[in-house]
Amino acid sequence: MIRFAIALLLTFSVPVQNRGAEYNISYRLAMSHPASHLFEVTIDVQLPATERATYIDFQIPMWQPGRYSVADFAKNVQDFDARSGNIQLYWMKIDNQTWRVQRGTNGTVTVAYRMFGDDLSGTYAQLDVGHANYTGGELFMYVVGHKPDPLQLRIEPPSNWKVINGRTERPNQVEWRYPNYEIMIDNPTEIGPDWTLDEFKVQGKTDRVVVHSRGPEGGRRPSLVRDIQKIVKAETTMWGPPEFDSYTFMIHFAADDQSGDGMEHLTSTQIIQPGVLAERGSYDDAVRTAAHEFFHVWNVKRLRPIELGPWDWTRPAATRGLWIAEGFTQYYGVLMYHRAGFQNAEGFLNSLSNTIGTIENAPASKLMSAEASSMAASFTDAALHRQRTNLPNTSLSYYLKGELIALNLDLIIREKTAGRYSLDEVMRRAYEQFYLKSPNATYYLKGRGYTIEDFAGVVSEVAGTDMTDFFAKYVRGTDTLPYDQALRGVGLRLVKSPSNQPYTAGIVLDPEDPEGMRLGALRTGSPAERGGLQEGDVLTEIGGMSVSRENWRSILNRFKQGDRVPVSVRRFRETVQVSIQLDAPDIFIYRIEEDPGASAQAKALRSAWLN
Ligand SMILES: [Zn+2]
Ligand SMILES: [Zn+2]
């Protein structure tokens, strides 16, 4: 009854949510029972004497930067409590991410809650008997209206556990000050007894490599550190020294065969490999991921689309620019891996050819533009779906489409400027113009975010010609990228040929059923769909022969265009037979190769690009 009466009071009192005078806000993070997976968060708020607000709203983000699906961190909050000194304060939930707390008479409010976390990833937190690892937004509530206020954080680790993050300045540091909430949650932190620290310097900046291995390292850590140094050198050569004093690669070898991620931050990255450092594949993946993530130091963390910071954590991000933020980073990650000497020209061109194949063979290659792909990120970036979707047919990766837009622009700029400029110059000028030299547009960070039109303007300026048409056709539109024009400029050409198993008939096995033969989302309008197969059917026979995951493609490809193929499936516990008629080949191989008629200038541009 009392709670009900107070609830009405809290609901109907006049909200004072416009940012007034700064609050004094400090956080404590404890973890007294690691095996429980429960982080203990305490937030002390001291209101200024002039503050008239009758309540304070504490809110936990719905998602956090870099992973654009909705995570709803609120679902892991428990044991919420609010006090002023020893006096219990009334509080209520007003929506699924907001706790409204009545203010105390003396102007102090302390809230405490526990947050469950047992996922090792760049988005969620993990506390277990071996370590604690978090990013920020999945643990820390903010005071509504006071995200711009400076904050303090104190971490209370279990005895003999040490704390490190990308803003650690001295040994055994457990306290940090942050200029605002967005900076605080951009600082992933590792707390544990057995992580290691290595350091090197490039152009006067310190780079640290923190490794927490949960399996054998095989003596590979020194060479991993040396290889990451090669990446840092290659990228610093392009951009010039970054503006920070130190940067931290925080790398986990999870040894659980499932956790994997790479996430960019202002002065650090979290890289999580599912395997162990002793394995060659895990090692190589960690270096490739480092090449991608370190490029984000400039592209996305500082040079950023206008919608990416500061953020409204009550609704998903909506930016048209992820094909630049992620896609161009994808292109440069591959290019820098090559420039740093890990892959020869042939390997680099093969990697690009494979990406072209993935995009051009995708069902959505003519349906979804790069901009639309970016706007769909909250549905596609590791989002979970209980409701069935047709996204496998309708969505395209902004990473890979963006990588190919970058490739085309890079080569076209080289050709149009006779090798004077490349996409590198676009990136450097945009960084200078929007980040370094623009006045601060918000409390969040230096400079301002760019619009797509801003970015297109820099491309045209560097190319020395109006590129508006390129953006209309290939970025907002779904026209096939001008590979021929772009590659010809550097003495290369794209060869398209049917795959040696060119027919799929639109059959797609469900990736959620990795052992079985259940069908996933069939290609829209494909022979399989026209013949009457549907998602959920379990494929048993093609052409009278029983099929497995290993042989169904080869059995199907014994038939040719125009043939009618009998197919059997299990559906609702019965066997159903249909007949499907094969169309033209639907899977093609793309290969970039030397153009025998290349001009001397094209050859020179090619060697400038590749060497
Ligand atoms: Zn760890
Ligand atoms: Zn990225």
Side-chain angles (χ1 to χ4, degrees):
M1 220 32 220
I2 284 175
R3 176 155 276 182
F4 181 64
I6 294 298
L8 287 177
L9 174 71
L10 290 176
T11 308
F12 293 113
S13 53
V14 179
V16 182
Q17 295 301 356
N18 294 329
R19 188 186 175 201
E22 275 177 11
Y23 288 4
N24 191 334
I25 305 171
S26 52
Y27 293 73
R28 274 173 289 148
L29 178 66
M31 49 212 81
S32 54
H33 304 289
S36 70
H37 313 298
L38 290 168
F39 289 91
E40 299 140 40
V41 181
T42 307
I43 311 172
D44 290 303
V45 182
Q46 175 71 55
L47 280 60
T50 52
E51 180 56 273
R52 304 258 69 87
T54 55
Y55 61 82
I56 305 174
D57 284 346
F58 292 86
Q59 205 160 55
I60 192 90
M62 179 182 277
W63 59 281
Q64 60 183 335
R67 169 81 357 92
Y68 297 99
S69 54
V70 171
D72 282 331
F73 302 123
K75 65 190 166 208
N76 276 344
V77 174
Q78 64 184 70
D79 309 313
F80 187 89
D81 180 66
R83 291 167 192 273
S84 179
N86 292 326
I87 301 163
Q88 185 96 37
L89 298 176
Y90 293 105
W91 61 270
M92 63 181 293
K93 284 288 292 285
I94 60 164
D95 60 37
N96 75 351
Q97 65 181 136
T98 314
W99 285 254
R100 178 162 291 179
V101 177
Q102 184 192 35
R103 73 172 284 183
T105 48
N106 69 355
T108 67
V109 173
T110 298
V111 304
Y113 54 93
R114 296 202 286 174
M115 179 65 93
F116 180 87
D118 191 24
D119 295 281
L120 182 54
S121 90
T123 305
Y124 308 115
Q126 184 169 66
L127 172 62
D128 63 21
V129 295
H131 76 163
N133 181 277
Y134 70 84
T135 295
E138 81 283 38
L139 282 188
F140 300 123
M141 295 182 187
Y142 53 87
V143 177
V144 174
H146 290 269
K147 284 197 302 162
D149 295 4
L151 310 166
Q152 300 163 62
L153 168 66
R154 177 181 172 77
I155 297 178
E156 297 165 2
S159 63
N160 86 351
W161 285 22
K162 303 161 294 167
V163 187
I164 189 148
N165 61 41
R167 293 179 186 274
T168 296
E169 290 170 342
R170 56 187 179 275
N172 303 313
Q173 184 174 350
V174 292
E175 289 186 325
W176 285 265
R177 291 175 173 276
Y178 297 101
N180 59 61
Y181 177 82
E182 264 86 10
I183 302 295
M184 179 171 83
I185 66 164
D186 189 63
N187 192 27
T189 298
E190 166 75 2
I191 307 157
D194 57 352
W195 47 262
T196 58
L197 173 63
D198 293 276
E199 287 188 359
F200 56 83
K201 274 193 184 287
V202 173
Q203 294 203 26
K205 309 292 181 173
T206 301
D207 295 275
R208 303 187 289 208
V209 180
V210 171
V211 174
H212 182 193
S213 279
R214 288 189 151 165
E217 294 194 335
R220 287 179 182 269
R221 190 151 47 80
S223 85
L224 177 71
V225 174
R226 280 196 301 275
D227 282 348
I228 289 175
Q229 184 171 8
K230 290 179 194 163
I231 294 287
V232 171
K233 276 184 182 161
E235 300 192 3
T236 306
T237 299
M238 170 184 154
W239 287 103
E243 57 170 4
F244 45 65
D245 294 327
S246 82
Y247 181 88
T248 307
F249 292 87
M250 312 237 298
I251 307 178
H252 276 85
F253 290 92
D256 64 359
D257 300 319
Q258 57 173 14
S259 304
D261 207 349
M263 190 56 74
E264 65 277 7
H265 299 280
L266 277 162
T267 57
S268 62
T269 177
Q270 286 247 65
I271 295 173
I272 294 150
Q273 285 295 319
V276 300
L277 178 50
E279 295 162 355
R280 187 77 224 179
S282 297
Y283 179 102
D284 290 344
D285 281 352
V287 177
R288 277 178 221 274
T289 308
H292 177 103
E293 300 304 331
F294 193 67
F295 199 84
H296 275 315
V297 161
W298 297 272
N299 191 33
V300 95
K301 291 315 303 183
R302 290 175 175 80
L303 170 63
R304 60 196 186 273
I306 192 162
E307 300 86 359
L308 295 189
W311 294 269
D312 175 355
W313 303 115
T314 66
R315 47 190 293 179
T319 172
R320 295 183 291 139
L322 292 180
W323 58 274
I324 305 170
E326 285 300 345
F328 281 35
T329 303
Q330 188 73 17
Y331 172 68
Y332 275 104
V334 177
L335 181 59
M336 291 297 173
Y337 192 74
H338 166 68
R339 281 188 192 167
F342 296 108
Q343 197 167 45
N344 62 20
E346 190 188 352
F348 173 56
L349 295 178
N350 281 343
S351 163
L352 294 173
S353 302
N354 290 339
T355 303
I356 293 171
T358 302
I359 287 297
E360 298 307 327
N361 284 316
S365 65
K366 286 283 172 287
L367 274 182
M368 182 174 262
S369 70
E371 278 195 9
S373 170
S374 180
M375 291 296 280
S378 66
F379 303 134
T380 58
D381 186 20
L384 293 172
H385 302 286
R386 285 292 294 161
Q387 176 192 28
R388 282 201 175 153
T389 74
N390 201 26
L391 289 166
N393 277 316
T394 59
S395 69
L396 206 62
S397 161
Y398 46 80
Y399 284 84
L400 301 186
K401 183 65 185 274
E403 177 184 344
L404 297 180
I405 292 171
L407 167 69
N408 279 267
L409 281 177
D410 194 10
L411 301 187
I412 288 170
I413 291 168
R414 286 167 189 272
E415 197 267 332
K416 284 197 184 299
T417 64
R420 182 148 183 242
Y421 294 128
S422 69
L423 191 61
D424 296 7
E425 180 68 13
V426 172
M427 303 310 288
R428 284 187 296 253
R429 276 194 207 180
Y431 176 69
E432 185 173 300
Q433 184 173 338
F434 305 122
Y435 179 69
L436 291 178
K437 294 199 170 157
S438 284
N440 294 11
T442 70
Y443 68 86
Y444 163 58
L445 196 64
K446 193 190 278 188
R448 69 173 177 92
Y450 59 79
T451 64
I452 304 298
E453 292 67 31
D454 288 332
F455 192 85
V458 178
V459 171
S460 293
E461 182 189 297
V462 171
T465 180
D466 183 359
M467 297 290 284
T468 308
D469 197 41
F470 181 98
F471 285 81
K473 280 181 173 162
Y474 311 118
V475 173
R476 263 185 306 289
T478 58
D479 287 15
T480 304
L481 281 158
Y483 301 110
D484 291 340
Q485 179 203 348
L487 290 167
R488 196 184 313 120
V490 293
L492 297 169
R493 63 183 186 182
L494 186 65
V495 179
K496 173 185 176 184
S497 52
S499 138
N500 60 355
Q501 290 182 352
Y503 302 108
T504 68
I507 293 172
V508 176
L509 297 183
D510 187 348
E512 301 292 307
D513 181 32
E515 307 289 318
M517 295 300 290
R518 194 169 71 212
L519 300 185
L522 302 176
R523 277 194 181 220
T524 306
S526 64
E529 191 196 67
R530 292 201 311 270
L533 294 181
Q534 61 179 11
E535 183 170 3
D537 289 347
V538 177
L539 190 61
T540 56
E541 290 184 0
I542 294 176
M545 282 165 278
S546 68
V547 290
S548 66
R549 279 190 99 86
E550 288 67 41
N551 70 8
W552 75 270
R553 281 279 297 274
S554 63
I555 289 174
L556 180 69
N557 278 276
R558 292 175 190 180
F559 297 87
K560 59 185 190 309
Q561 186 171 348
D563 286 354
R564 296 202 75 89
V565 184
V567 174
S568 297
V569 294
R570 291 287 294 169
R571 178 186 297 165
F572 304 126
R573 304 189 189 182
E574 288 177 352
T575 297
V576 176
Q577 276 217 331
V578 303
S579 157
I580 61 180
Q581 186 166 24
L582 289 189
D583 277 347
D586 50 32
I587 297 289
F588 295 88
I589 303 265
Y590 291 81
R591 204 176 64 254
I592 297 174
E593 59 177 41
E594 283 192 25
D595 175 359
S599 66
Q601 178 185 303
K603 285 180 185 166
L605 292 180
R606 179 170 72 216
S607 86
W609 176 47
L610 293 177
N611 300 321

